Amino acid sequence: ETGVTQTPRHLVMGMTNKKSLKCEQHLGHNAMYWYKQSAKKPLELMFVYNFKEQTENNSVPSRFSPECPNSSHLFLHLHTLQPEDSALYLCASSQRQSEAFFGQGTRLTVV
Amino acid sequence: KNQVEQSPQSLIILEGKNCTLQCNYTVSPFSNLRWYKQDTGRGPVSLTIMTFSENTKSNGRYTATLDADTKQSSLHITASQLSDSASYLCVVSGENYGGATNKLIFGTGTLLAVQP
């Protein structure tokens, strides 16, 4: 256990559905991140938050909407996704620029 | 362009044998380099972290080296075990002066399979 928990672990959704991914950390870290991992590609940074404030949006399509209500919780709201959005979505946290701790990921399949 | 390249893409070895994974990077400015182990369908877990002033670091059967001049790193696994089967990610952190968050650049990983 890394101290970063993601739910659900697996998610299958249709292209017209709306769903949310949840990430929780109780490590006292200030920074939280969403990454997308597709097959045979490096992890792609999607969003970065520093104490609830979004500091980076890496040109992510608007069908992905992050929410950070407090420094321990991070959500990724999904709507009208495409099949190519199927991937492993990883949440991570860090205390400033120290080691990043990753959650177990949510395996998303869009049908 | 900041990039991290790993080789080989995949590797199959017999249990008990040693292996070495390679990482080349072009990230500048450079802060540190980390190796992560990622089991299939799970999140990455850190193995080692090295700053530019460190040229070797060990964690059990894992030994990482760093040559900051040639911008190369390697991860050596000794006496491999079946549980070492995983993807190994080389991750370079770009210097983010005074920043509150990491700037991590990931390689595509080396997929290691250890066979009995």
Side-chain angles (χ1 to χ4, degrees):
Chain A
E1 289 297 329
T2 61
V4 180
T5 304
Q6 288 187 243
T7 54
R9 291 293 312 278
H10 302 273
L11 178 63
V12 179
M13 59 185 289
M15 290 189 284
T16 58
N17 291 159
K18 290 184 181 181
K19 296 286 184 183
S20 296
L21 310 185
K22 179 182 177 183
C23 177
E24 189 172 350
Q25 60 95 4
H26 294 290
L27 300 170
H29 291 168
N30 66 290
M32 295 189 78
Y33 313 78
W34 277 118
Y35 286 92
K36 175 184 178 183
Q37 188 175 31
S38 305
K40 300 190 187 300
K41 286 187 178 180
L43 268 74
E44 301 170 53
L45 179 65
M46 299 176 72
F47 302 102
V48 182
Y49 278 82
N50 175 28
F51 284 126
K52 306 191 305 179
E53 300 298 321
Q54 186 179 122
T55 59
E56 197 162 339
N57 175 339
N58 205 23
S59 302
V60 180
S62 59
R63 57 186 184 270
F64 295 91
S65 174
E67 179 191 1
C68 191
N70 55 62
S71 58
S72 299
H73 294 85
L74 184 64
F75 295 89
L76 188 62
H77 303 300
L78 316 171
H79 64 98
T80 59
L81 294 192
Q82 305 298 311
E84 59 265 28
D85 296 322
S86 299
L88 182 67
Y89 288 84
L90 290 163
C91 172
S93 73
S94 70
Q95 181 56 31
R96 298 185 67 82
Q97 297 182 52
S98 64
E99 178 183 345
F101 290 82
F102 286 84
Q104 298 285 40
T106 294
R107 171 66 63 185
L108 174 68
T109 303
V110 181
V111 297
Chain B
K1 181 181 177 183
N2 288 329
Q3 279 191 315
V4 177
E5 295 183 351
Q6 292 186 243
S7 62
Q9 281 192 325
S10 61
L11 182 61
I12 301 174
I13 61 173
L14 293 177
E15 187 179 10
K17 298 296 185 183
N18 304 335
C19 67
T20 301
L21 314 180
Q22 302 290 344
C23 174
N24 297 330
Y25 62 92
T26 57
V27 177
S28 181
F30 170 87
S31 176
N32 57 66
L33 185 145
R34 311 155 194 228
W35 283 92
Y36 280 84
K37 178 186 179 187
Q38 185 177 20
D39 293 316
T40 301
R42 303 177 81 86
V45 176
S46 178
L47 293 175
T48 65
I49 177 171
M50 290 181 291
T51 63
F52 69 92
S53 61
E54 298 173 292
N55 54 26
T56 188
K57 184 165 281 190
S58 292
N59 177 2
R61 295 179 296 103
Y62 301 102
T63 299
T65 65
L66 174 64
D67 185 333
D69 291 331
T70 61
K71 299 188 177 181
Q72 295 180 325
S73 176
S74 67
L75 181 69
H76 186 74
I77 304 175
T78 304
S80 60
Q81 300 176 357
L82 297 178
S83 59
D84 292 332
S85 296
S87 183
Y88 291 83
L89 305 178
C90 177
V91 185
V92 179
S93 179
E95 184 62 62
N96 187 15
Y97 297 106
T101 61
N102 273 306
K103 284 199 176 295
L104 302 179
I105 297 104
F106 287 80
T108 51
T110 292
L111 183 61
L112 175 65
V114 180
Q115 295 184 340

